[in-house]
Amino acid sequence: MLSELPPPEALRGLFGEVMAGMLTEAFRDSFVGGHPWRVPIFLFRYHADVEAHLFSLARDERRRREVFGRFGSDFIGVVLDDGGRVSRFIAGEAKWRRQLTDSVFNELMLGELTRDPDTGERTRSGKGVWFELNRDTSVPHGLRQLQRLLEQRDPDGHAAAILSLDEALILDHPRPLPRTNLILIAGNGARRREAGDVLIGWEKLPNEYSAAHDLQVVELILRDGELLIDGLYSSLWT
């Protein structure tokens, strides 16, 4: 048994991934398309760096380091048809920021500010969340990870889903699988934020979003969110 909580950044990341899945299932009727989303298993079970760190930490509690985030989609949800086959999926990006000011949000979505060596002008690098969503393959690696986790956890109960994912993941003539993208932004609101203010407009698709898939945005604005997260995980840890 470990005597201390994992590093804070790891807890913030796990919180976002879990909330993305829970909100998708809880508010699926309100999400774009009204699809009956299910999250059969969370992808953070497939986090190689955390697995390696916990293996060492369980044997030597003096080991202390931050862990990097899980590569790829933060979570995957699916729609299962009457036969248990996957007919659609939702891929989520969950981002936590302690203070959701305009500058923090712009860096998150559009990348860091860089200075042009010739003109001296500062522009965004373009390597933020929008960039990652726009360039992602139509079938992300997270679907393969979901399939392998289902094979490990419940190969009989999810046999039809596992087979249908095989059909969508093959390289030659894959079965088309409709996709929805989810962005979950969680954190403490800016000091001057008014009730009902949003970070991403909802009246139309943002100009920065060029992917062909449906887009769902969830903004989870908290007060003293880091205290909430630490309290939640402390209660589980004890």
Side-chain angles (χ1 to χ4, degrees):
M1 178 67 70
L2 302 179
S3 60
E4 296 183 17
L5 285 168
E9 290 302 318
L11 296 183
R12 309 295 188 265
L14 290 173
F15 174 80
E17 294 167 30
V18 171
M19 288 304 301
M22 292 178 64
L23 291 170
T24 297
E25 288 193 323
F27 294 97
R28 59 189 187 181
D29 293 337
S30 301
F31 273 27
V32 60
H35 304 291
W37 298 115
R38 294 180 55 192
V39 182
I41 193 167
F42 285 96
L43 296 186
F44 57 70
R45 293 170 180 257
Y46 222 112
H47 195 317
D49 188 50
V50 169
E51 180 184 8
H53 180 51
L54 289 177
F55 181 88
S56 299
L57 191 60
R59 290 157 177 80
D60 182 359
E61 291 193 3
R62 296 170 298 176
R63 298 287 184 97
R64 289 292 180 269
R65 69 175 179 86
E66 292 293 328
V67 294
F68 57 73
R70 216 188 62 80
F71 294 138
S73 304
D74 289 328
F75 97 104
I76 297 284
V78 296
V79 175
L80 300 178
D81 64 19
D82 293 338
R85 293 165 53 86
V86 176
S87 61
R88 187 181 187 96
F89 73 96
I90 183 169
E93 287 291 326
K95 302 299 181 184
W96 158 270
R97 292 296 183 271
R98 182 173 183 177
Q99 204 71 32
L100 289 171
T101 61
D102 288 342
S103 59
V104 169
F105 171 74
N106 288 331
E107 180 175 318
L108 174 67
M109 303 302 295
L110 300 172
E112 297 179 352
L113 280 171
T114 60
R115 189 179 298 277
D116 188 303
D118 297 324
T119 65
E121 294 182 359
R122 301 180 71 194
T123 59
R124 294 288 173 184
S125 67
K127 298 296 181 67
V129 172
W130 292 126
F131 172 77
E132 295 297 335
L133 284 181
N134 293 335
R135 75 164 182 164
D136 198 12
T137 55
S138 58
V139 178
H141 184 232
L143 271 185
R144 173 70 75 192
Q145 294 178 321
L146 175 67
Q147 182 192 42
R148 289 172 176 166
L149 286 168
L150 292 177
E151 289 173 346
Q152 295 171 16
R153 182 190 182 194
D154 188 12
D156 296 326
H158 286 92
I162 293 167
L163 176 60
S164 65
L165 287 175
D166 254 342
E167 297 169 350
L169 289 163
I170 58 175
L171 294 178
D172 295 329
H173 309 294
R175 178 174 66 94
L177 202 57
R179 169 177 179 165
T180 297
N181 282 324
L182 168 68
I183 300 173
L184 169 66
I185 301 173
N188 301 315
R191 292 179 181 177
R192 297 182 180 179
R193 179 182 179 276
E194 299 290 340
D197 285 352
V198 295
L199 297 165
I200 300 176
W202 55 269
E203 294 86 354
K204 61 179 181 178
L205 281 176
N207 295 329
E208 297 85 358
Y209 184 70
S210 60
H213 318 295
D214 288 348
L215 175 66
Q216 175 68 49
V217 176
V218 176
E219 298 176 11
L220 181 60
I221 308 300
L222 304 171
R223 180 179 297 173
D224 297 327
E226 62 277 6
L227 299 180
L228 169 65
I229 296 171
D230 291 345
L232 287 172
Y233 281 102
S234 294
S235 66
L236 294 174
W237 204 254
T238 56

